Amino acid sequence: MARTKTIYLPPGRLRAWADRFAAEHGDPLCEVNSPKPGSGVVLSCPDGFAVRLRLPWEQLTPALAVDAWPEQLAAAAASIGTCGLILLRRGGYSVGTSVQGQLTWSKSGTRYVQSRTAAGGWSQQRYARRRSNQADALVLTAAEYAAGHLPAAKPSCLATGGDKDMLRQLLADARLAGLAALPAAHLELNADPRQRQLAEVARELAGIKAVITWPTPGHNSETAG
């Protein structure tokens, strides 16, 4: 079964990184626009390593030419305008906008949402209602800040991270209707949203998304990064 690792490459490093990947793993077969435009480029090496390279947003990844794809991907990344950012988990929220990897506005905050309880009966129902009310208040707070700034910033794309159910609830807010129609990318979060996570997401999304795969656990993934 293939293993995977995702990294984000600064556009200016793309050509050098691809050359090093080929040197380490063997002259690759290069496939572009497979299975469709927006899919990016796949480099498949003789030792079983492969990497798919595209923008973080499939919808913004252009059709590529086999002899010019690094320059075309780098140019496409540089042409992306304002990005809307919404990170939301039970422990807090972080919303903002970025341009070329730099935050241009942001707001982060924390709010307590009770953990699930093992209690049964009436107590469990009471805890569940309290938890739901706390989660709703967190979503509402994040939605207020997002609605107060993101639509006016006219983002060309959207990045979300964290709890998908809470994010769906937030994006269902009528004031944010335009955001749901934007090209979107979702990232997993390993920690509650904070300003530093938002800044890191902004930097990553300014780069090229590289999804590396290899077939056996005997390979060391660090040699691919």
Side-chain angles (χ1 to χ4, degrees), residues 30-213:
C30 178
E31 298 178 271
V32 298
N33 312 317
S34 178
K36 60 182 179 179
S39 300
V41 61
V42 177
L43 305 178
S44 302
C45 295
D47 66 353
F49 272 77
V51 59
R52 181 180 295 276
L53 299 150
R54 63 173 178 84
L55 299 187
W57 298 272
E58 182 175 351
Q59 305 97 312
L60 299 180
T61 304
L64 302 170
V66 71
D67 59 345
W69 63 265
E71 294 77 15
Q72 291 171 338
L73 270 181
S79 70
I80 294 175
T82 298
C83 176
L85 309 169
I86 304 176
L87 309 182
L88 185 60
R89 281 192 8 158
R90 192 178 66 196
Y93 65 89
S94 197
V95 298
T97 55
S98 66
V99 176
Q100 294 301 301
Q102 299 297 315
L103 291 176
T104 53
W105 171 83
S106 65
K107 177 67 178 179
S108 301
T110 60
R111 184 178 288 267
Y112 176 74
V113 177
Q114 183 173 310
S115 300
R116 296 184 186 277
T117 176
W122 181 83
S123 293
Q124 186 177 35
Q125 296 173 15
R126 176 165 56 87
Y127 283 125
R129 285 195 299 270
R130 183 182 300 170
R131 174 185 169 86
S132 177
N133 289 340
Q134 291 168 342
D136 288 346
L138 172 58
V139 171
L140 179 60
T141 299
E144 290 289 340
Y145 286 115
H149 191 87
L150 265 62
K154 298 183 176 1
S156 57
C157 52
L158 176 68
T160 60
D163 189 299
K164 291 183 178 180
D165 289 335
M166 296 177 78
L167 287 163
R168 276 193 290 268
Q169 183 181 345
L170 182 147
L171 291 173
D173 190 306
R175 297 170 297 176
L176 300 173
L179 297 183
L182 292 175
H186 182 78
L187 297 87
E188 300 299 327
L189 294 182
N190 297 319
D192 289 336
R194 298 291 187 270
Q195 179 80 6
R196 63 181 179 275
Q197 274 85 32
L198 195 71
E200 181 179 352
V201 166
R203 287 193 298 270
E204 289 181 343
L205 294 175
I208 307 300
K209 183 178 181 180
V211 181
I212 305 162
T213 62

